[in-house]
Amino acid sequence: MRRAFIALLACLGLAVPAVVTASTTASASPAPSVQTASCNAGHVCIYKGDIWDDSPNHAKVYDFYYYGTYNVHNLVGDYTVLNCQTGGAGVKGFTGYNGTGSVTWDLPANNCAGGLWTDLTPTYSVRLYA
């Protein structure tokens, strides 16, 4: 009798909420986390937000490799800068384009294990130097 009643409910579409509930429960389990992309040796990387805050997904917005000056755009708010260059190479942030204006921050040596977490809103260019 019970099987017939369940079959009748299923035919009438009344069992759908039970299926949806089961599906919702399954999707409520933690989704696989997307990991923040690493910064390779020899590179300078800029990430949105504080990459050490235990959140698994911080967008890498810039990845520089060659010495020189680079203009950056739309860096409003907090970012993490990793200087993973080798051989004592550094990176500076400037208030103007093409390395002009004043220096807003300077990472004179490899800081790949810690990084600099700061507001990059005033930064309009970065210079990688030896």
Side-chain angles (χ1 to χ4, degrees):
M1 178 78 173
R2 182 173 180 169
R3 285 186 192 170
F5 181 70
I6 291 173
L8 176 62
L9 289 177
C11 289
L12 295 174
L14 298 176
V16 174
V19 174
V20 171
T21 302
S23 175
T24 303
T25 303
S27 67
S29 63
S33 62
V34 177
Q35 296 300 312
T36 300
S38 64
C39 190
N40 295 327
H43 293 244
V44 171
C45 301
I46 299 177
Y47 298 88
K48 179 67 179 155
D50 176 9
I51 65 171
W52 309 112
D53 69 357
D54 294 328
S55 174
N57 187 19
H58 290 280
K60 184 191 303 184
V61 293
Y62 287 102
D63 188 343
F64 305 109
Y65 181 73
Y66 296 103
Y67 295 135
T69 302
Y70 301 90
N71 293 324
V72 293
H73 304 281
N74 300 322
L75 295 178
V76 177
D78 292 336
Y79 289 81
T80 301
V81 180
L82 293 182
N83 179 9
C84 297
Q85 298 179 97
T86 57
V91 59
K92 292 180 182 181
F94 293 89
T95 58
Y97 288 109
N98 301 318
T100 62
S102 61
V103 174
T104 58
W105 49 270
D106 186 7
L107 298 172
N110 181 309
N111 75 337
C112 205
L116 168 69
W117 177 49
T118 189
D119 179 6
L120 292 187
T121 303
T123 303
Y124 286 89
S125 61
V126 297
R127 179 178 296 147
L128 281 62
Y129 63 90

